[in-house]
Amino acid sequence: MRRRRGRPLDGWLVIDKPSGVTSTQMVGRAKRIFDAQKVGHGGTLDPLATGLLPLAFGAATKTVPYIMDGTKIYRFTLKLGEARDSDDADGNVTEVSDVRPTDDELRAALPALTGDIMQVPPVFSALKVAGERSYDMAREGRAPELPPRPARVDRFELIERPDADTAIFEVESGKGVYMRALARDVALACGTVGHITALRRLRVGPFTEADAIVLDKIVLNDDNPHASPELLRPVSTALADIPAVALTKDEAVSLLHGQALSLVDLMDRLPQIDNEDAPIRAMEGGRVLGLCRREDGFLRPARIL
């Protein structure tokens, strides 16, 4: 069997993505810089967008779903009075309006776009329609009719109004929420049109801007042709905001062998969680063993690391 090229590195690298490049391109750059065998990302950012893009190396790819399920915070700039086919500044103008809502009118539109909502994704998205990417169809002049999808928006605030044409918002949401669609829908709710001109992701799960590095600032030379693995954070970092249960050595051995543990024996140690289906991080001392779920009176392993 052919050996996979690159080093077998495990861990997370949180980068500050610049505007004008895709998330996939950033994955490729990181793979080359670190000479890594396997790299993936924890949630796509649009080419126009900047901010946090967590990159998973090796075994960290097993924890990507938990990063993508985590809370995300975005800040975006809405340009009012001009709609674009991509719902951002990279698209073509499709409609204009002279209506400029007041701050109060913008704020009044936000409650209807907060909580559990139904959202129509932008046609320039990676969603598949009959096996084709929606953005490919849109570029070919065959923009599909995308049905509304459930989305969860926990916080939606107007934080700045530089001028009548511009409004800046901050959003806290779960996975699968399109900021371009939120910007489009705020404008429509106020009787006008609009699109995003700037978008920045400030948080992804446990990762914040304080954790991010600029990939292009990693210095390489003849003595160090590849980036140091010491720049990577432990695989378990991605699970830091998941409630934990402490296990004994014997319990840990059982769990690692795929055996379920009785919840009765763990009752005094289990975290208080409202959602019975939420994952629980299994710990032995300072070591993360994996993720478990409660089921039929037992704590069952869901993902062992």
Side-chain angles (χ1 to χ4, degrees):
M1 187 172 66
R2 189 173 65 179
R3 179 182 175 274
R4 177 178 281 179
R5 296 178 60 185
R7 298 184 290 177
L9 304 179
D10 298 318
W12 282 94
L13 181 74
V14 185
I15 64 171
D16 192 333
K17 187 187 92 65
S19 182
V21 294
T22 67
S23 298
T24 301
Q25 287 172 328
M26 297 307 294
V27 167
R29 287 186 191 178
K31 192 171 184 179
R32 289 191 300 273
I33 290 173
F34 281 83
D35 186 32
Q37 284 185 0
K38 184 178 183 181
V39 184
H41 63 69
T44 303
L45 276 178
D46 292 337
L48 174 141
T50 65
L52 265 64
L53 181 65
L55 300 183
F57 288 67
T61 57
K62 296 179 181 179
T63 63
V64 163
Y66 302 99
I67 283 291
M68 296 183 72
D69 285 346
T71 298
K72 300 173 183 64
I73 298 178
Y74 297 87
R75 183 174 296 146
F76 69 76
T77 301
L78 169 65
K79 178 178 173 59
L80 293 157
E82 191 178 88
R84 301 209 175 195
D85 55 8
S86 62
D87 295 316
D88 65 18
D90 289 338
N92 299 313
V93 177
T94 58
E95 187 179 350
V96 295
S97 171
D98 293 330
V99 176
R100 298 295 182 271
T102 65
D103 290 10
D104 287 342
E105 288 172 329
L106 287 170
R107 290 193 179 96
L110 301 182
L113 296 169
T114 305
D116 292 312
I117 64 173
M118 296 299 290
Q119 183 183 71
V120 177
V123 291
F124 282 81
S125 65
L127 294 175
K128 283 192 173 182
V129 179
E132 294 186 77
R133 295 289 186 188
S134 181
Y135 55 64
D136 288 332
M137 299 173 70
R139 286 170 186 147
E140 294 172 2
R142 302 181 292 119
E145 292 266 346
L146 297 176
R149 293 157 53 97
R152 174 75 193 179
V153 177
D154 296 307
R155 179 170 61 87
F156 196 175
E157 294 182 25
L158 174 67
I159 60 171
E160 191 177 344
R161 189 73 187 274
D163 52 56
D165 293 333
T166 311
I168 300 175
F169 296 86
E170 193 163 288
V171 177
E172 187 171 335
S173 69
K175 70 175 181 179
V177 180
Y178 290 91
M179 296 301 116
R180 286 176 290 149
L182 282 180
R184 173 200 68 204
D185 293 345
V186 168
L188 289 173
C190 293
T192 186
V193 292
H195 67 274
I196 276 182
T197 57
L199 172 62
R200 182 167 180 80
R201 187 154 64 188
L202 307 174
R203 176 184 169 187
V204 184
F207 300 127
T208 68
E209 286 185 292
D211 302 313
I213 67 170
V214 177
L215 194 60
D216 290 342
K217 289 189 176 180
I218 296 177
V219 177
L220 305 177
N221 51 49
D222 291 340
D223 294 330
N224 298 289
H226 302 298
S228 171
E230 293 180 2
L231 291 172
L232 302 183
R233 294 169 175 267
V235 173
S236 58
T237 308
L239 312 176
D241 58 350
I242 295 177
V245 60
L247 302 182
T248 66
K249 184 176 181 179
D250 289 342
E251 290 168 341
V253 170
S254 296
L255 192 76
L256 292 175
H257 282 86
Q259 298 176 25
L261 306 176
S262 171
L263 291 179
V264 174
D265 297 334
L266 301 171
M267 198 58 65
D268 294 338
R269 289 174 275 159
L270 284 173
Q272 297 298 313
I273 308 173
D274 294 333
N275 181 4
E276 288 291 321
D277 295 326
I280 295 175
R281 179 166 39 106
M283 304 287 296
E284 183 201 3
R287 182 168 68 118
V288 178
L289 304 173
L291 294 170
C292 304
R293 295 190 184 278
R294 289 172 288 188
E295 182 181 317
D296 300 327
F298 289 90
L299 187 70
R300 300 185 184 278
R303 172 71 75 175
I304 296 300
L305 300 178

